[in-house]
Amino acid sequence: MYEADDKMISLIRDNYNLLQALGSFGISLGFGDKTVQETCKDNGVDTYTFLAVVNFTINGYGEFENDEQISVPTLLHYLEASHSYFLDFQLPFIRRELMESLNENDSLARLIIRFYDEYAHEIRRHMKYEQKTLFPYVESLIEGRSANDYNVETFSKHHGSADKKLRELKLLIIKYLPQDGLHNNQLTATLHDIYANEEWLRQHAQVEDRIFVPAIRRLENIAKRNNVTKNISDIVSKSAIGNKTEVLSDREKEVIVSLVQGMSNKEIADHLCISTNTVITHRRNIARKLQIHSPAGLTIYAIINGLVDISSVNI
Protein backbone atom coordinates (compact mmCIF):
# COMPACT_ATOMS: atom_id res chain seq x y z
CA MET A 1 0.00 0.00 0.00
CA TYR A 2 1.34 3.41 -0.96
CA GLU A 3 1.73 6.03 1.77
CA ALA A 4 2.12 9.79 1.96
CA ASP A 5 5.90 9.59 2.52
CA ASP A 6 6.54 7.50 -0.61
CA LYS A 7 8.18 9.23 -3.56
CA MET A 8 5.64 10.10 -6.25
CA ILE A 9 8.04 8.89 -8.94
CA SER A 10 8.07 5.45 -7.27
CA LEU A 11 4.31 5.15 -7.79
CA ILE A 12 4.70 6.00 -11.48
CA ARG A 13 7.51 3.49 -11.89
CA ASP A 14 5.31 0.79 -10.36
CA ASN A 15 2.31 1.59 -12.55
CA TYR A 16 2.50 4.00 -15.48
CA ASN A 17 -1.32 4.09 -15.70
CA LEU A 18 -1.16 6.55 -12.80
CA LEU A 19 -0.03 9.21 -15.27
CA GLN A 20 -3.61 9.73 -16.42
CA ALA A 21 -4.85 9.81 -12.82
CA LEU A 22 -2.33 12.55 -12.02
CA GLY A 23 -3.84 14.72 -14.73
CA SER A 24 -7.38 14.12 -13.47
CA PHE A 25 -6.36 15.10 -9.96
CA GLY A 26 -4.76 18.25 -11.35
CA ILE A 27 -1.22 17.20 -10.44
CA SER A 28 1.40 18.57 -12.82
CA LEU A 29 4.47 16.64 -13.90
CA GLY A 30 7.93 17.84 -12.95
CA PHE A 31 7.62 16.96 -9.27
CA GLY A 32 11.20 15.64 -9.06
CA ASP A 33 11.84 13.46 -6.02
CA LYS A 34 9.07 14.92 -3.87
CA THR A 35 6.89 12.66 -1.78
CA VAL A 36 3.23 12.04 -2.48
CA GLN A 37 2.27 14.41 0.33
CA GLU A 38 4.57 17.17 -0.90
CA THR A 39 3.36 16.81 -4.49
CA CYS A 40 -0.29 16.83 -3.49
CA LYS A 41 0.21 19.87 -1.27
CA ASP A 42 1.94 21.76 -4.09
CA ASN A 43 -1.03 21.07 -6.38
CA GLY A 44 -3.83 21.69 -3.87
CA VAL A 45 -4.91 18.03 -3.77
CA ASP A 46 -6.07 16.20 -0.65
CA THR A 47 -3.36 13.59 -0.03
CA TYR A 48 -5.61 11.09 1.74
CA THR A 49 -8.17 11.07 -1.08
CA PHE A 50 -5.45 10.74 -3.73
CA LEU A 51 -3.95 7.74 -1.96
CA ALA A 52 -7.39 6.21 -1.38
CA VAL A 53 -8.11 6.22 -5.13
CA VAL A 54 -4.61 5.03 -6.06
CA ASN A 55 -4.49 2.20 -3.52
CA PHE A 56 -8.00 1.11 -4.44
CA THR A 57 -7.55 1.08 -8.23
CA ILE A 58 -4.07 -0.46 -8.18
CA ASN A 59 -4.07 -2.71 -5.13
CA GLY A 60 -7.79 -3.15 -4.46
CA TYR A 61 -7.27 -1.78 -0.96
CA GLY A 62 -9.87 0.14 0.99
CA GLU A 63 -13.30 0.12 2.62
CA PHE A 64 -15.03 3.46 2.26
CA GLU A 65 -18.54 3.11 3.69
CA ASN A 66 -17.57 4.95 6.90
CA ASP A 67 -14.45 6.73 5.71
CA GLU A 68 -15.06 10.32 6.75
CA GLN A 69 -11.56 11.42 5.70
CA ILE A 70 -12.40 11.26 2.00
CA SER A 71 -12.49 14.77 0.53
CA VAL A 72 -15.61 14.99 -1.64
CA PRO A 73 -14.45 18.19 -3.45
CA THR A 74 -11.16 16.49 -4.41
CA LEU A 75 -12.99 13.36 -5.55
CA LEU A 76 -15.54 15.38 -7.51
CA HIS A 77 -12.77 17.28 -9.33
CA TYR A 78 -11.05 13.99 -10.14
CA LEU A 79 -14.20 12.45 -11.64
CA GLU A 80 -15.10 15.58 -13.63
CA ALA A 81 -11.59 15.75 -15.09
CA SER A 82 -11.68 12.00 -15.85
CA HIS A 83 -14.89 12.50 -17.83
CA SER A 84 -13.31 15.33 -19.81
CA TYR A 85 -10.25 13.19 -20.54
CA PHE A 86 -12.32 10.29 -21.82
CA LEU A 87 -14.94 12.24 -23.77
CA ASP A 88 -12.74 14.96 -25.26
CA PHE A 89 -9.54 13.03 -25.86
CA GLN A 90 -9.76 9.26 -25.58
CA LEU A 91 -12.96 8.60 -27.57
CA PRO A 92 -11.89 10.74 -30.59
CA PHE A 93 -8.34 9.35 -30.39
CA ILE A 94 -9.43 5.71 -30.68
CA ARG A 95 -11.78 6.55 -33.52
CA ARG A 96 -8.90 8.13 -35.45
CA GLU A 97 -6.81 5.04 -34.75
CA LEU A 98 -9.59 2.81 -36.08
CA MET A 99 -9.96 4.91 -39.22
CA GLU A 100 -6.23 4.68 -39.90
CA SER A 101 -6.15 0.95 -39.18
CA LEU A 102 -9.10 -0.13 -41.34
CA ASN A 103 -9.62 -0.23 -45.08
CA GLU A 104 -12.33 2.34 -45.71
CA ASN A 105 -13.45 0.42 -48.83
CA ASP A 106 -14.20 -2.68 -46.77
CA SER A 107 -17.89 -2.90 -45.84
CA LEU A 108 -17.10 -4.81 -42.63
CA ALA A 109 -14.66 -2.09 -41.63
CA ARG A 110 -17.37 0.53 -42.09
CA LEU A 111 -19.66 -1.50 -39.85
CA ILE A 112 -16.93 -1.60 -37.23
CA ILE A 113 -16.69 2.21 -37.30
CA ARG A 114 -20.47 2.52 -37.01
CA PHE A 115 -20.45 0.11 -34.09
CA TYR A 116 -17.79 2.24 -32.41
CA ASP A 117 -19.81 5.40 -32.97
CA GLU A 118 -22.80 3.76 -31.27
CA TYR A 119 -20.59 2.86 -28.33
CA ALA A 120 -19.21 6.41 -28.15
CA HIS A 121 -22.74 7.82 -28.16
CA GLU A 122 -23.76 5.51 -25.30
CA ILE A 123 -20.76 6.32 -23.12
CA ARG A 124 -21.14 10.03 -23.84
CA ARG A 125 -24.80 9.95 -22.82
CA HIS A 126 -23.88 8.04 -19.66
CA MET A 127 -21.22 10.53 -18.58
CA LYS A 128 -23.18 13.62 -19.63
CA TYR A 129 -26.01 12.48 -17.36
CA GLU A 130 -23.62 12.42 -14.42
CA GLN A 131 -22.23 15.83 -15.34
CA LYS A 132 -25.68 17.38 -15.72
CA THR A 133 -27.45 15.73 -12.78
CA LEU A 134 -25.18 14.02 -10.26
CA PHE A 135 -22.23 16.42 -10.07
CA PRO A 136 -24.33 19.59 -9.54
CA TYR A 137 -26.28 17.72 -6.85
CA VAL A 138 -23.03 16.86 -5.06
CA GLU A 139 -21.87 20.48 -5.32
CA SER A 140 -25.10 21.57 -3.64
CA LEU A 141 -24.45 19.10 -0.80
CA ILE A 142 -20.91 20.42 -0.39
CA GLU A 143 -22.37 23.92 -0.08
CA GLY A 144 -24.83 22.72 2.55
CA ARG A 145 -27.87 22.62 0.29
CA SER A 146 -29.89 19.54 -0.66
CA ALA A 147 -32.49 18.75 -3.33
CA ASN A 148 -35.67 16.96 -2.26
CA ASP A 149 -36.25 15.42 -5.68
CA TYR A 150 -32.91 13.63 -6.06
CA ASN A 151 -30.53 11.48 -4.02
CA VAL A 152 -27.57 9.22 -4.59
CA GLU A 153 -29.72 6.08 -4.50
CA THR A 154 -31.46 7.30 -7.66
CA PHE A 155 -28.07 7.49 -9.34
CA SER A 156 -26.81 4.20 -7.91
CA LYS A 157 -29.84 2.23 -9.16
CA HIS A 158 -29.25 3.43 -12.73
CA HIS A 159 -25.46 3.29 -12.68
CA GLY A 160 -24.98 0.28 -14.92
CA SER A 161 -21.97 -0.73 -16.94
CA ALA A 162 -21.42 1.27 -20.12
CA ASP A 163 -18.52 -0.72 -21.52
CA LYS A 164 -20.35 -3.75 -22.96
CA LYS A 165 -20.19 -2.42 -26.50
CA LEU A 166 -16.46 -1.83 -26.10
CA ARG A 167 -15.95 -5.49 -25.26
CA GLU A 168 -18.07 -6.52 -28.23
CA LEU A 169 -16.10 -4.23 -30.54
CA LYS A 170 -12.84 -5.75 -29.37
CA LEU A 171 -14.07 -9.31 -30.01
CA LEU A 172 -15.51 -8.42 -33.43
CA ILE A 173 -12.17 -7.03 -34.58
CA ILE A 174 -10.19 -9.99 -33.28
CA LYS A 175 -12.54 -12.70 -34.58
CA TYR A 176 -13.85 -11.41 -37.87
CA LEU A 177 -11.87 -8.52 -39.31
CA PRO A 178 -9.34 -9.68 -41.94
CA GLN A 179 -6.01 -7.92 -41.69
CA ASP A 180 -3.48 -7.13 -44.35
CA GLY A 181 0.19 -6.60 -43.75
CA LEU A 182 -0.04 -2.82 -44.14
CA HIS A 183 -2.59 -2.24 -41.40
CA ASN A 184 -1.81 -5.16 -39.07
CA ASN A 185 0.51 -3.23 -36.73
CA GLN A 186 -1.81 -0.24 -36.57
CA LEU A 187 -4.81 -2.41 -35.78
CA THR A 188 -2.89 -4.31 -33.10
CA ALA A 189 -1.90 -1.01 -31.47
CA THR A 190 -5.53 0.16 -31.63
CA LEU A 191 -6.69 -3.06 -29.97
CA HIS A 192 -4.15 -2.49 -27.22
CA ASP A 193 -5.65 0.95 -26.59
CA ILE A 194 -9.17 -0.50 -26.58
CA TYR A 195 -8.13 -3.05 -23.97
CA ALA A 196 -6.55 -0.27 -21.88
CA ASN A 197 -9.73 1.81 -22.08
CA GLU A 198 -11.86 -1.16 -21.08
CA GLU A 199 -9.77 -1.46 -17.91
CA TRP A 200 -9.92 2.32 -17.34
CA LEU A 201 -13.72 2.29 -17.54
CA ARG A 202 -13.92 -0.61 -15.12
CA GLN A 203 -11.77 1.20 -12.57
CA HIS A 204 -13.64 4.47 -13.10
CA ALA A 205 -16.99 2.81 -12.39
CA GLN A 206 -15.58 1.12 -9.27
CA VAL A 207 -14.27 4.42 -7.90
CA GLU A 208 -17.75 5.91 -8.35
CA ASP A 209 -19.52 2.93 -6.78
CA ARG A 210 -17.12 2.14 -3.94
CA ILE A 211 -15.72 5.57 -2.97
CA PHE A 212 -17.87 8.35 -4.44
CA VAL A 213 -21.34 6.96 -3.68
CA PRO A 214 -20.56 6.22 0.02
CA ALA A 215 -19.08 9.73 0.35
CA ILE A 216 -22.27 11.26 -1.07
CA ARG A 217 -24.39 9.20 1.34
CA ARG A 218 -22.43 10.68 4.23
CA LEU A 219 -23.03 14.21 2.90
CA GLU A 220 -26.74 13.43 2.56
CA ASN A 221 -26.88 12.24 6.18
CA ILE A 222 -25.18 15.45 7.32
CA ALA A 223 -27.64 17.53 5.29
CA LYS A 224 -30.53 15.53 6.75
CA ARG A 225 -29.35 16.12 10.32
CA ASN A 226 -28.86 19.81 9.61
CA ASN A 227 -32.37 20.06 8.20
CA VAL A 228 -33.82 18.30 11.25
CA THR A 229 -31.94 20.66 13.55
CA LYS A 230 -33.15 23.70 11.59
CA ASN A 231 -36.75 22.49 11.63
CA ILE A 232 -36.58 21.86 15.35
CA SER A 233 -35.06 25.29 15.89
CA ASP A 234 -37.85 26.89 13.87
CA ILE A 235 -40.49 25.05 15.92
CA VAL A 236 -38.95 26.12 19.21
CA SER A 237 -38.49 29.71 18.04
CA LYS A 238 -42.13 29.96 16.97
CA SER A 239 -43.40 28.41 20.19
CA ALA A 240 -41.27 30.78 22.26
CA ILE A 241 -42.73 33.93 20.72
CA GLY A 242 -44.63 35.80 23.39
CA ASN A 243 -43.76 33.21 26.04
CA LYS A 244 -40.88 34.08 28.31
CA THR A 245 -39.76 30.79 29.82
CA GLU A 246 -38.41 30.58 33.33
CA VAL A 247 -34.86 29.37 33.91
CA LEU A 248 -34.53 25.66 34.65
CA SER A 249 -32.50 24.43 37.58
CA ASP A 250 -29.61 22.04 37.04
CA ARG A 251 -31.68 19.24 38.59
CA GLU A 252 -34.58 19.93 36.21
CA LYS A 253 -32.18 19.75 33.29
CA GLU A 254 -30.93 16.39 34.55
CA VAL A 255 -34.53 15.16 34.69
CA ILE A 256 -35.11 16.28 31.10
CA VAL A 257 -31.98 14.45 29.89
CA SER A 258 -33.11 11.31 31.70
CA LEU A 259 -36.58 11.56 30.13
CA VAL A 260 -35.10 12.00 26.67
CA GLN A 261 -33.04 8.86 27.26
CA GLY A 262 -36.28 6.97 27.86
CA MET A 263 -36.13 6.50 31.63
CA SER A 264 -39.25 6.01 33.73
CA ASN A 265 -39.95 8.11 36.83
CA LYS A 266 -38.59 5.35 39.09
CA GLU A 267 -35.46 4.91 36.95
CA ILE A 268 -34.87 8.68 37.08
CA ALA A 269 -35.30 8.64 40.86
CA ASP A 270 -32.76 5.83 41.23
CA HIS A 271 -30.38 7.49 38.77
CA LEU A 272 -30.47 10.88 40.54
CA CYS A 273 -30.79 9.46 44.06
CA ILE A 274 -34.07 11.24 44.74
CA SER A 275 -37.60 10.05 45.46
CA THR A 276 -40.17 9.28 42.80
CA ASN A 277 -42.42 12.03 44.20
CA THR A 278 -39.58 14.52 43.76
CA VAL A 279 -39.21 13.44 40.13
CA ILE A 280 -42.93 14.02 39.58
CA THR A 281 -42.63 17.48 41.16
CA HIS A 282 -39.70 18.33 38.90
CA ARG A 283 -41.69 17.22 35.88
CA ARG A 284 -44.61 19.45 36.88
CA ASN A 285 -42.27 22.42 37.29
CA ILE A 286 -40.61 21.70 33.91
CA ALA A 287 -43.98 21.54 32.16
CA ARG A 288 -45.07 24.80 33.84
CA LYS A 289 -41.87 26.65 32.98
CA LEU A 290 -41.51 25.41 29.38
CA GLN A 291 -45.15 24.86 28.51
CA ILE A 292 -43.97 21.52 27.06
CA HIS A 293 -45.69 18.35 28.24
CA SER A 294 -44.74 15.56 25.76
CA PRO A 295 -41.50 13.53 25.64
CA ALA A 296 -41.09 14.53 21.97
CA GLY A 297 -41.37 18.20 22.88
CA LEU A 298 -38.81 17.83 25.67
CA THR A 299 -36.50 16.01 23.26
CA ILE A 300 -36.67 18.96 20.87
CA TYR A 301 -35.98 21.37 23.73
CA ALA A 302 -33.01 19.28 24.92
CA ILE A 303 -31.45 19.19 21.45
CA ILE A 304 -31.83 22.90 20.76
CA ASN A 305 -30.43 23.88 24.15
CA GLY A 306 -27.47 21.52 23.97
CA LEU A 307 -28.55 19.19 26.75
CA VAL A 308 -28.21 16.18 24.41
CA ASP A 309 -26.53 15.66 21.03
CA ILE A 310 -28.86 15.09 18.09
CA SER A 311 -26.76 12.14 16.93
CA SER A 312 -27.58 10.30 20.17
CA VAL A 313 -31.32 10.73 19.75
CA ASN A 314 -33.45 8.30 17.76
CA ILE A 315 -35.42 10.70 15.51
Side-chain angles (χ1 to χ4, degrees), residues 112-124 165:
I112 291 290
I113 293 296
R114 191 172 76 180
F115 191 93
Y116 178 80
D117 288 341
E118 291 175 357
Y119 155 74
H121 174 76
E122 181 178 327
I123 197 75
R124 191 175 298 277
K165 281 187 177 292

Side-chain angles (χ1 to χ4, degrees), residues 133-145:
T133 306
L134 177 66
F135 293 167
Y137 169 68
V138 175
E139 288 174 351
S140 72
L141 288 176
I142 293 172
E143 295 170 0
R145 298 179 287 109

